[in-house]
mmCIF file of all heavy atoms in Angstrom:
data_model
loop_
_atom_site.group_PDB
_atom_site.id
_atom_site.type_symbol
_atom_site.label_atom_id
_atom_site.label_comp_id
_atom_site.label_asym_id
_atom_site.label_seq_id
_atom_site.Cartn_x
_atom_site.Cartn_y
_atom_site.Cartn_z
ATOM 1 N N ILE A 76 -0.448 3.610 7.381
ATOM 2 C CA ILE A 76 0.156 4.145 6.336
ATOM 3 C C ILE A 76 -0.651 5.401 5.897
ATOM 4 O O ILE A 76 -1.802 5.209 5.767
ATOM 5 C CB ILE A 76 0.361 3.100 5.158
ATOM 6 C CG1 ILE A 76 1.182 3.716 4.170
ATOM 7 C CG2 ILE A 76 -1.009 2.594 4.736
ATOM 8 C CD1 ILE A 76 1.600 2.668 2.984
ATOM 9 N N ARG A 77 0.004 6.414 5.594
ATOM 10 C CA ARG A 77 -0.605 7.692 5.235
ATOM 11 C C ARG A 77 -0.898 7.519 3.630
ATOM 12 O O ARG A 77 -0.293 6.894 2.983
ATOM 13 C CB ARG A 77 0.222 8.787 5.444
ATOM 14 C CG ARG A 77 0.387 9.061 7.158
ATOM 15 C CD ARG A 77 1.246 10.304 7.332
ATOM 16 N NE ARG A 77 0.568 11.502 6.690
ATOM 17 C CZ ARG A 77 -0.374 12.249 7.227
ATOM 18 N NH1 ARG A 77 -0.795 11.868 8.458
ATOM 19 N NH2 ARG A 77 -0.770 13.300 6.640
ATOM 20 N N HIS A 78 -1.934 8.363 3.178
ATOM 21 C CA HIS A 78 -2.328 8.287 1.850
ATOM 22 C C HIS A 78 -1.239 8.669 0.947
ATOM 23 O O HIS A 78 -0.981 7.935 -0.144
ATOM 24 C CB HIS A 78 -3.508 9.342 1.661
ATOM 25 C CG HIS A 78 -3.922 9.352 0.246
ATOM 26 N ND1 HIS A 78 -3.461 10.383 -0.645
ATOM 27 C CD2 HIS A 78 -4.807 8.578 -0.525
ATOM 28 C CE1 HIS A 78 -3.948 10.173 -1.811
ATOM 29 N NE2 HIS A 78 -4.763 9.150 -1.750
ATOM 30 N N SER A 79 -0.373 9.714 1.247
ATOM 31 C CA SER A 79 0.709 9.997 0.366
ATOM 32 C C SER A 79 1.807 8.976 0.226
ATOM 33 O O SER A 79 2.267 8.586 -0.784
ATOM 34 C CB SER A 79 1.431 11.402 0.850
ATOM 35 O OG SER A 79 1.902 11.132 2.109
ATOM 36 N N THR A 80 2.062 8.205 1.431
ATOM 37 C CA THR A 80 2.919 7.137 1.377
ATOM 38 C C THR A 80 2.383 5.983 0.477
ATOM 39 O O THR A 80 3.066 5.262 -0.232
ATOM 40 C CB THR A 80 3.297 6.691 2.739
ATOM 41 O OG1 THR A 80 3.775 7.800 3.519
ATOM 42 C CG2 THR A 80 4.297 5.511 2.769
ATOM 43 N N LEU A 81 1.125 5.699 0.704
ATOM 44 C CA LEU A 81 0.319 4.643 -0.006
ATOM 45 C C LEU A 81 0.520 4.849 -1.486
ATOM 46 O O LEU A 81 0.803 3.972 -2.270
ATOM 47 C CB LEU A 81 -1.019 4.662 0.520
ATOM 48 C CG LEU A 81 -2.032 3.602 -0.108
ATOM 49 C CD1 LEU A 81 -1.385 2.255 0.278
ATOM 50 C CD2 LEU A 81 -3.346 3.680 0.447
ATOM 51 N N MET A 82 0.399 6.093 -2.000
ATOM 52 C CA MET A 82 0.432 6.452 -3.408
ATOM 53 C C MET A 82 1.827 6.286 -3.834
ATOM 54 O O MET A 82 2.027 5.959 -5.102
ATOM 55 C CB MET A 82 -0.012 7.856 -3.585
ATOM 56 C CG MET A 82 -1.563 8.157 -3.281
ATOM 57 S SD MET A 82 -2.715 6.907 -4.027
ATOM 58 C CE MET A 82 -2.458 7.224 -5.702
ATOM 59 N N GLY A 83 2.751 6.506 -2.983
ATOM 60 C CA GLY A 83 4.184 6.116 -3.522
ATOM 61 C C GLY A 83 4.355 4.765 -3.676
ATOM 62 O O GLY A 83 4.988 4.288 -4.691
ATOM 63 N N TYR A 84 3.887 3.794 -2.897
ATOM 64 C CA TYR A 84 3.784 2.420 -3.132
ATOM 65 C C TYR A 84 3.179 2.003 -4.363
ATOM 66 O O TYR A 84 3.657 1.049 -5.174
ATOM 67 C CB TYR A 84 3.188 1.679 -1.960
ATOM 68 C CG TYR A 84 4.115 1.462 -0.647
ATOM 69 C CD1 TYR A 84 4.046 2.272 0.329
ATOM 70 C CD2 TYR A 84 4.872 0.305 -0.569
ATOM 71 C CE1 TYR A 84 4.749 2.115 1.463
ATOM 72 C CE2 TYR A 84 5.671 0.013 0.469
ATOM 73 C CZ TYR A 84 5.673 0.873 1.494
ATOM 74 O OH TYR A 84 6.349 0.604 2.639
ATOM 75 N N VAL A 85 1.948 2.653 -4.677
ATOM 76 C CA VAL A 85 1.112 2.371 -5.806
ATOM 77 C C VAL A 85 1.937 2.728 -7.099
ATOM 78 O O VAL A 85 2.031 2.084 -8.027
ATOM 79 C CB VAL A 85 -0.181 3.055 -5.784
ATOM 80 C CG1 VAL A 85 -0.891 2.956 -7.172
ATOM 81 C CG2 VAL A 85 -0.996 2.367 -4.715
ATOM 82 N N ALA A 86 2.636 3.930 -7.018
ATOM 83 C CA ALA A 86 3.390 4.399 -8.155
ATOM 84 C C ALA A 86 4.580 3.486 -8.559
ATOM 85 O O ALA A 86 4.735 3.231 -9.618
ATOM 86 C CB ALA A 86 3.942 5.722 -7.775
ATOM 87 N N GLN A 87 5.221 2.952 -7.505
ATOM 88 C CA GLN A 87 6.268 2.040 -7.742
ATOM 89 C C GLN A 87 5.687 0.639 -8.342
ATOM 90 O O GLN A 87 6.356 -0.033 -9.155
ATOM 91 C CB GLN A 87 7.151 1.716 -6.646
ATOM 92 C CG GLN A 87 8.031 3.004 -6.258
ATOM 93 C CD GLN A 87 8.619 3.608 -7.520
ATOM 94 O OE1 GLN A 87 9.495 2.827 -8.096
ATOM 95 N NE2 GLN A 87 8.463 4.846 -7.793
ATOM 96 N N ALA A 88 4.515 0.154 -7.811
ATOM 97 C CA ALA A 88 4.006 -0.985 -8.319
ATOM 98 C C ALA A 88 3.589 -0.927 -9.860
ATOM 99 O O ALA A 88 3.689 -1.767 -10.582
ATOM 100 C CB ALA A 88 2.752 -1.410 -7.538
ATOM 101 N N THR A 89 2.979 0.306 -10.084
ATOM 102 C CA THR A 89 2.624 0.540 -11.476
ATOM 103 C C THR A 89 3.780 0.833 -12.303
ATOM 104 O O THR A 89 3.731 0.480 -13.648
ATOM 105 C CB THR A 89 1.665 1.700 -11.737
ATOM 106 O OG1 THR A 89 2.234 2.990 -10.977
ATOM 107 C CG2 THR A 89 0.276 1.534 -10.972
ATOM 108 N N ARG A 90 4.857 1.132 -11.877
ATOM 109 C CA ARG A 90 6.094 1.360 -12.657
ATOM 110 C C ARG A 90 6.597 0.116 -13.153
ATOM 111 O O ARG A 90 7.240 0.010 -14.149
ATOM 112 C CB ARG A 90 7.213 1.957 -11.611
ATOM 113 C CG ARG A 90 8.427 2.240 -12.281
ATOM 114 C CD ARG A 90 8.601 3.713 -12.658
ATOM 115 N NE ARG A 90 9.755 3.967 -13.465
ATOM 116 C CZ ARG A 90 10.730 4.540 -12.993
ATOM 117 N NH1 ARG A 90 10.898 5.007 -11.747
ATOM 118 N NH2 ARG A 90 11.840 4.780 -13.724
ATOM 119 N N CYS A 91 6.385 -1.089 -12.374
ATOM 120 C CA CYS A 91 6.634 -2.386 -12.975
ATOM 121 C C CYS A 91 5.922 -2.580 -14.323
ATOM 122 O O CYS A 91 6.632 -3.235 -15.187
ATOM 123 C CB CYS A 91 6.268 -3.515 -11.940
ATOM 124 S SG CYS A 91 7.068 -3.530 -10.550
ATOM 125 N N HIS A 92 4.772 -2.054 -14.594
ATOM 126 C CA HIS A 92 4.042 -2.178 -15.731
ATOM 127 C C HIS A 92 4.673 -1.314 -16.908
ATOM 128 O O HIS A 92 4.764 -1.683 -17.989
ATOM 129 C CB HIS A 92 2.499 -1.809 -15.657
ATOM 130 C CG HIS A 92 1.719 -2.793 -14.773
ATOM 131 N ND1 HIS A 92 1.850 -2.820 -13.327
ATOM 132 C CD2 HIS A 92 0.995 -3.953 -15.014
ATOM 133 C CE1 HIS A 92 1.071 -3.774 -12.805
ATOM 134 N NE2 HIS A 92 0.677 -4.437 -13.828
ATOM 135 N N THR A 93 4.936 -0.042 -16.445
ATOM 136 C CA THR A 93 5.430 0.885 -17.489
ATOM 137 C C THR A 93 6.879 0.420 -17.934
ATOM 138 O O THR A 93 7.345 0.746 -19.046
ATOM 139 C CB THR A 93 5.467 2.322 -16.966
ATOM 140 O OG1 THR A 93 6.276 2.387 -15.695
ATOM 141 C CG2 THR A 93 4.067 2.793 -16.691
ATOM 142 N N ASP A 94 7.620 -0.099 -17.010
ATOM 143 C CA ASP A 94 8.993 -0.609 -17.302
ATOM 144 C C ASP A 94 8.855 -1.799 -18.392
ATOM 145 O O ASP A 94 9.895 -1.732 -19.283
ATOM 146 C CB ASP A 94 9.722 -1.140 -16.147
ATOM 147 C CG ASP A 94 10.130 -0.028 -15.127
ATOM 148 O OD1 ASP A 94 10.208 1.135 -15.470
ATOM 149 O OD2 ASP A 94 10.548 -0.433 -14.010
#
Side-chain angles (χ1 to χ4, degrees):
I76 189 167
R77 297 184 54 86
H78 180 264
S79 58
T80 306
L81 185 62
M82 295 311 293
Y84 276 93
V85 170
Q87 291 311 307
T89 56
R90 183 98 187 257
C91 292
H92 294 83
T93 57
D94 289 349

